[in-house]
mmCIF file of all heavy atoms in Angstrom:
data_model
loop_
_atom_site.group_PDB
_atom_site.id
_atom_site.type_symbol
_atom_site.label_atom_id
_atom_site.label_comp_id
_atom_site.label_asym_id
_atom_site.label_seq_id
_atom_site.Cartn_x
_atom_site.Cartn_y
_atom_site.Cartn_z
ATOM 1 N N PHE A 35 -18.587 19.536 0.997
ATOM 2 C CA PHE A 35 -18.989 19.505 -0.408
ATOM 3 C C PHE A 35 -19.695 18.194 -0.713
ATOM 4 O O PHE A 35 -19.566 17.223 0.025
ATOM 5 C CB PHE A 35 -17.821 19.749 -1.371
ATOM 6 C CG PHE A 35 -16.643 18.824 -1.227
ATOM 7 C CD1 PHE A 35 -16.638 17.574 -1.826
ATOM 8 C CD2 PHE A 35 -15.516 19.214 -0.514
ATOM 9 C CE1 PHE A 35 -15.538 16.725 -1.712
ATOM 10 C CE2 PHE A 35 -14.415 18.380 -0.400
ATOM 11 C CZ PHE A 35 -14.430 17.124 -0.995
ATOM 12 N N LYS A 36 -20.481 18.215 -1.812
ATOM 13 C CA LYS A 36 -21.217 17.038 -2.273
ATOM 14 C C LYS A 36 -20.602 16.518 -3.560
ATOM 15 O O LYS A 36 -20.142 17.299 -4.396
ATOM 16 C CB LYS A 36 -22.665 17.399 -2.595
ATOM 17 C CG LYS A 36 -23.531 17.693 -1.429
ATOM 18 C CD LYS A 36 -24.942 17.951 -1.948
ATOM 19 C CE LYS A 36 -25.883 18.289 -0.822
ATOM 20 N NZ LYS A 36 -27.245 18.509 -1.331
ATOM 21 N N ALA A 37 -20.656 15.208 -3.756
ATOM 22 C CA ALA A 37 -20.231 14.614 -5.020
ATOM 23 C C ALA A 37 -21.040 15.257 -6.144
ATOM 24 O O ALA A 37 -22.243 15.467 -6.016
ATOM 25 C CB ALA A 37 -20.447 13.103 -5.005
ATOM 26 N N GLY A 38 -20.352 15.610 -7.213
ATOM 27 C CA GLY A 38 -21.006 16.231 -8.358
ATOM 28 C C GLY A 38 -20.990 17.748 -8.328
ATOM 29 O O GLY A 38 -21.259 18.388 -9.338
ATOM 30 N N GLY A 39 -20.670 18.340 -7.172
ATOM 31 C CA GLY A 39 -20.604 19.796 -7.067
ATOM 32 C C GLY A 39 -19.355 20.347 -7.740
ATOM 33 O O GLY A 39 -18.421 19.604 -8.068
ATOM 34 N N THR A 40 -19.327 21.653 -7.939
ATOM 35 C CA THR A 40 -18.193 22.312 -8.582
ATOM 36 C C THR A 40 -16.971 22.304 -7.672
ATOM 37 O O THR A 40 -17.034 22.754 -6.530
ATOM 38 C CB THR A 40 -18.555 23.765 -8.949
ATOM 39 O OG1 THR A 40 -19.683 23.740 -9.813
ATOM 40 C CG2 THR A 40 -17.395 24.464 -9.629
ATOM 41 N N ALA A 41 -15.875 21.801 -8.201
ATOM 42 C CA ALA A 41 -14.614 21.715 -7.451
ATOM 43 C C ALA A 41 -13.744 22.918 -7.830
ATOM 44 O O ALA A 41 -13.037 22.885 -8.830
ATOM 45 C CB ALA A 41 -13.900 20.411 -7.759
ATOM 46 N N ASP A 42 -13.822 23.960 -7.038
ATOM 47 C CA ASP A 42 -13.086 25.189 -7.334
ATOM 48 C C ASP A 42 -12.134 25.596 -6.220
ATOM 49 O O ASP A 42 -11.613 26.706 -6.206
ATOM 50 C CB ASP A 42 -14.052 26.332 -7.633
ATOM 51 C CG ASP A 42 -14.984 26.638 -6.465
ATOM 52 O OD1 ASP A 42 -14.938 25.922 -5.432
ATOM 53 O OD2 ASP A 42 -15.775 27.592 -6.592
ATOM 54 N N ARG A 43 -11.894 24.682 -5.291
ATOM 55 C CA ARG A 43 -10.998 24.946 -4.155
ATOM 56 C C ARG A 43 -10.540 23.631 -3.551
ATOM 57 O O ARG A 43 -11.059 22.585 -3.898
ATOM 58 C CB ARG A 43 -11.679 25.819 -3.119
ATOM 59 C CG ARG A 43 -12.892 25.199 -2.457
ATOM 60 C CD ARG A 43 -13.792 26.203 -1.741
ATOM 61 N NE ARG A 43 -14.406 27.051 -2.732
ATOM 62 C CZ ARG A 43 -14.210 28.385 -2.795
ATOM 63 N NH1 ARG A 43 -13.511 29.001 -1.894
ATOM 64 N NH2 ARG A 43 -14.752 29.099 -3.761
ATOM 65 N N PHE A 44 -9.604 23.719 -2.645
ATOM 66 C CA PHE A 44 -9.189 22.558 -1.872
ATOM 67 C C PHE A 44 -8.730 23.036 -0.514
ATOM 68 O O PHE A 44 -8.576 24.244 -0.276
ATOM 69 C CB PHE A 44 -8.111 21.727 -2.590
ATOM 70 C CG PHE A 44 -6.771 22.419 -2.749
ATOM 71 C CD1 PHE A 44 -5.753 22.233 -1.830
ATOM 72 C CD2 PHE A 44 -6.540 23.245 -3.836
ATOM 73 C CE1 PHE A 44 -4.523 22.852 -1.979
ATOM 74 C CE2 PHE A 44 -5.311 23.873 -4.005
ATOM 75 C CZ PHE A 44 -4.304 23.678 -3.078
ATOM 76 N N TRP A 45 -8.540 22.099 0.401
ATOM 77 C CA TRP A 45 -8.173 22.424 1.773
ATOM 78 C C TRP A 45 -7.034 21.526 2.237
ATOM 79 O O TRP A 45 -6.900 20.403 1.771
ATOM 80 C CB TRP A 45 -9.359 22.186 2.709
ATOM 81 C CG TRP A 45 -10.560 22.989 2.380
ATOM 82 C CD1 TRP A 45 -10.936 24.186 2.938
ATOM 83 C CD2 TRP A 45 -11.588 22.674 1.427
ATOM 84 N NE1 TRP A 45 -12.107 24.621 2.372
ATOM 85 C CE2 TRP A 45 -12.533 23.725 1.442
ATOM 86 C CE3 TRP A 45 -11.787 21.622 0.540
ATOM 87 C CZ2 TRP A 45 -13.654 23.729 0.633
ATOM 88 C CZ3 TRP A 45 -12.905 21.633 -0.278
ATOM 89 C CH2 TRP A 45 -13.826 22.671 -0.224
ATOM 90 N N VAL A 46 -6.267 22.025 3.173
ATOM 91 C CA VAL A 46 -5.333 21.208 3.941
ATOM 92 C C VAL A 46 -5.821 21.321 5.377
ATOM 93 O O VAL A 46 -5.916 22.425 5.936
ATOM 94 C CB VAL A 46 -3.870 21.686 3.800
ATOM 95 C CG1 VAL A 46 -2.967 20.888 4.731
ATOM 96 C CG2 VAL A 46 -3.406 21.538 2.344
ATOM 97 N N ILE A 47 -6.169 20.177 5.953
ATOM 98 C CA ILE A 47 -6.753 20.152 7.296
ATOM 99 C C ILE A 47 -5.694 20.493 8.325
ATOM 100 O O ILE A 47 -4.605 19.925 8.324
ATOM 101 C CB ILE A 47 -7.372 18.766 7.576
ATOM 102 C CG1 ILE A 47 -8.465 18.473 6.544
ATOM 103 C CG2 ILE A 47 -7.914 18.691 8.995
ATOM 104 C CD1 ILE A 47 -8.945 17.034 6.559
ATOM 105 N N ARG A 48 -6.023 21.434 9.191
ATOM 106 C CA ARG A 48 -5.120 21.809 10.290
ATOM 107 C C ARG A 48 -5.452 21.025 11.551
ATOM 108 O O ARG A 48 -4.563 20.599 12.279
ATOM 109 C CB ARG A 48 -5.223 23.310 10.565
ATOM 110 C CG ARG A 48 -4.739 24.132 9.377
ATOM 111 C CD ARG A 48 -4.887 25.624 9.608
ATOM 112 N NE ARG A 48 -4.118 26.021 10.775
ATOM 113 C CZ ARG A 48 -4.471 27.002 11.596
ATOM 114 N NH1 ARG A 48 -5.565 27.690 11.384
ATOM 115 N NH2 ARG A 48 -3.718 27.313 12.622
ATOM 116 N N SER A 49 -6.744 20.876 11.848
ATOM 117 C CA SER A 49 -7.173 20.101 13.009
ATOM 118 C C SER A 49 -8.587 19.587 12.758
ATOM 119 O O SER A 49 -9.325 20.138 11.947
ATOM 120 C CB SER A 49 -7.138 20.957 14.283
ATOM 121 O OG SER A 49 -8.090 22.000 14.212
ATOM 122 N N GLY A 50 -8.915 18.506 13.468
ATOM 123 C CA GLY A 50 -10.231 17.902 13.302
ATOM 124 C C GLY A 50 -10.182 16.732 12.347
ATOM 125 O O GLY A 50 -9.109 16.294 11.929
ATOM 126 N N ALA A 51 -11.363 16.232 12.024
ATOM 127 C CA ALA A 51 -11.468 15.056 11.154
ATOM 128 C C ALA A 51 -12.576 15.257 10.135
ATOM 129 O O ALA A 51 -13.611 15.848 10.431
ATOM 130 C CB ALA A 51 -11.745 13.811 11.994
ATOM 131 N N VAL A 52 -12.324 14.746 8.930
ATOM 132 C CA VAL A 52 -13.281 14.826 7.820
ATOM 133 C C VAL A 52 -13.496 13.423 7.278
ATOM 134 O O VAL A 52 -12.539 12.662 7.115
ATOM 135 C CB VAL A 52 -12.756 15.758 6.696
ATOM 136 C CG1 VAL A 52 -13.660 15.712 5.480
ATOM 137 C CG2 VAL A 52 -12.602 17.177 7.208
ATOM 138 N N SER A 53 -14.745 13.088 6.992
ATOM 139 C CA SER A 53 -15.079 11.816 6.364
ATOM 140 C C SER A 53 -15.373 12.051 4.893
ATOM 141 O O SER A 53 -16.167 12.935 4.552
ATOM 142 C CB SER A 53 -16.324 11.196 7.021
ATOM 143 O OG SER A 53 -16.075 10.896 8.359
ATOM 144 N N LEU A 54 -14.737 11.271 4.029
ATOM 145 C CA LEU A 54 -15.076 11.269 2.606
ATOM 146 C C LEU A 54 -16.100 10.170 2.406
ATOM 147 O O LEU A 54 -15.929 9.058 2.909
ATOM 148 C CB LEU A 54 -13.848 10.974 1.746
ATOM 149 C CG LEU A 54 -12.748 12.032 1.734
ATOM 150 C CD1 LEU A 54 -11.608 11.569 0.838
ATOM 151 C CD2 LEU A 54 -13.283 13.367 1.255
ATOM 152 N N ASP A 55 -17.178 10.490 1.682
ATOM 153 C CA ASP A 55 -18.215 9.489 1.491
ATOM 154 C C ASP A 55 -18.638 9.386 0.040
ATOM 155 O O ASP A 55 -18.375 10.263 -0.774
ATOM 156 C CB ASP A 55 -19.412 9.764 2.400
ATOM 157 C CG ASP A 55 -20.038 11.140 2.203
ATOM 158 O OD1 ASP A 55 -19.933 11.724 1.107
ATOM 159 O OD2 ASP A 55 -20.669 11.635 3.148
ATOM 160 N N GLN A 56 -19.271 8.262 -0.256
ATOM 161 C CA GLN A 56 -19.780 7.973 -1.600
ATOM 162 C C GLN A 56 -21.195 7.439 -1.449
ATOM 163 O O GLN A 56 -21.437 6.558 -0.615
ATOM 164 C CB GLN A 56 -18.887 6.938 -2.294
ATOM 165 C CG GLN A 56 -19.306 6.601 -3.694
ATOM 166 C CD GLN A 56 -19.095 7.775 -4.639
ATOM 167 O OE1 GLN A 56 -18.023 8.327 -4.713
ATOM 168 N NE2 GLN A 56 -20.121 8.148 -5.346
ATOM 169 N N GLN A 57 -22.101 7.977 -2.240
ATOM 170 C CA GLN A 57 -23.481 7.479 -2.265
ATOM 171 C C GLN A 57 -23.485 6.158 -3.018
ATOM 172 O O GLN A 57 -23.108 6.101 -4.186
ATOM 173 C CB GLN A 57 -24.380 8.498 -2.960
ATOM 174 C CG GLN A 57 -25.847 8.242 -2.794
ATOM 175 C CD GLN A 57 -26.360 8.640 -1.423
ATOM 176 O OE1 GLN A 57 -25.938 9.644 -0.862
ATOM 177 N NE2 GLN A 57 -27.259 7.856 -0.877
ATOM 178 N N VAL A 58 -23.879 5.083 -2.344
ATOM 179 C CA VAL A 58 -23.883 3.752 -2.950
ATOM 180 C C VAL A 58 -25.211 3.504 -3.663
ATOM 181 O O VAL A 58 -25.248 2.970 -4.752
ATOM 182 C CB VAL A 58 -23.624 2.660 -1.890
ATOM 183 C CG1 VAL A 58 -23.746 1.274 -2.487
ATOM 184 C CG2 VAL A 58 -22.271 2.860 -1.252
ATOM 185 N N ASN A 59 -26.297 3.880 -3.011
ATOM 186 C CA ASN A 59 -27.630 3.798 -3.605
ATOM 187 C C ASN A 59 -28.474 4.897 -2.972
ATOM 188 O O ASN A 59 -27.949 5.711 -2.203
ATOM 189 C CB ASN A 59 -28.243 2.397 -3.419
ATOM 190 C CG ASN A 59 -28.322 1.992 -1.965
ATOM 191 O OD1 ASN A 59 -28.707 2.773 -1.096
ATOM 192 N ND2 ASN A 59 -27.946 0.749 -1.680
ATOM 193 N N SER A 60 -29.755 4.929 -3.254
ATOM 194 C CA SER A 60 -30.583 6.031 -2.761
ATOM 195 C C SER A 60 -30.673 6.082 -1.239
ATOM 196 O O SER A 60 -30.988 7.130 -0.678
ATOM 197 C CB SER A 60 -31.980 5.967 -3.369
ATOM 198 O OG SER A 60 -32.611 4.756 -2.991
ATOM 199 N N LEU A 61 -30.366 4.990 -0.569
ATOM 200 C CA LEU A 61 -30.482 4.940 0.889
ATOM 201 C C LEU A 61 -29.168 4.867 1.634
ATOM 202 O O LEU A 61 -29.117 5.127 2.822
ATOM 203 C CB LEU A 61 -31.336 3.729 1.298
ATOM 204 C CG LEU A 61 -32.747 3.681 0.740
ATOM 205 C CD1 LEU A 61 -33.411 2.366 1.115
ATOM 206 C CD2 LEU A 61 -33.556 4.863 1.256
ATOM 207 N N GLN A 62 -28.107 4.494 0.942
ATOM 208 C CA GLN A 62 -26.857 4.216 1.657
ATOM 209 C C GLN A 62 -25.697 5.062 1.163
ATOM 210 O O GLN A 62 -25.450 5.182 -0.026
ATOM 211 C CB GLN A 62 -26.499 2.737 1.509
ATOM 212 C CG GLN A 62 -25.317 2.337 2.352
ATOM 213 C CD GLN A 62 -24.998 0.857 2.212
ATOM 214 O OE1 GLN A 62 -25.433 0.198 1.287
ATOM 215 N NE2 GLN A 62 -24.226 0.353 3.151
ATOM 216 N N ARG A 63 -25.001 5.626 2.136
ATOM 217 C CA ARG A 63 -23.783 6.378 1.905
ATOM 218 C C ARG A 63 -22.672 5.653 2.639
ATOM 219 O O ARG A 63 -22.835 5.251 3.784
ATOM 220 C CB ARG A 63 -23.975 7.786 2.499
ATOM 221 C CG ARG A 63 -23.030 8.815 2.019
ATOM 222 C CD ARG A 63 -23.384 10.181 2.613
ATOM 223 N NE ARG A 63 -24.445 10.856 1.952
ATOM 224 C CZ ARG A 63 -24.357 11.489 0.778
ATOM 225 N NH1 ARG A 63 -23.214 11.490 0.146
ATOM 226 N NH2 ARG A 63 -25.374 12.101 0.247
#
Side-chain angles (χ1 to χ4, degrees):
F35 56 83
K36 288 183 181 181
T40 302
D42 60 356
R43 64 197 68 242
F44 67 94
W45 300 264
V46 174
I47 300 169
R48 295 178 60 213
S49 66
V52 173
S53 296
L54 293 180
D55 58 26
Q56 182 68 53
Q57 192 76 38
V58 175
N59 57 44
S60 62
L61 301 174
Q62 187 179 17
R63 198 176 279 284

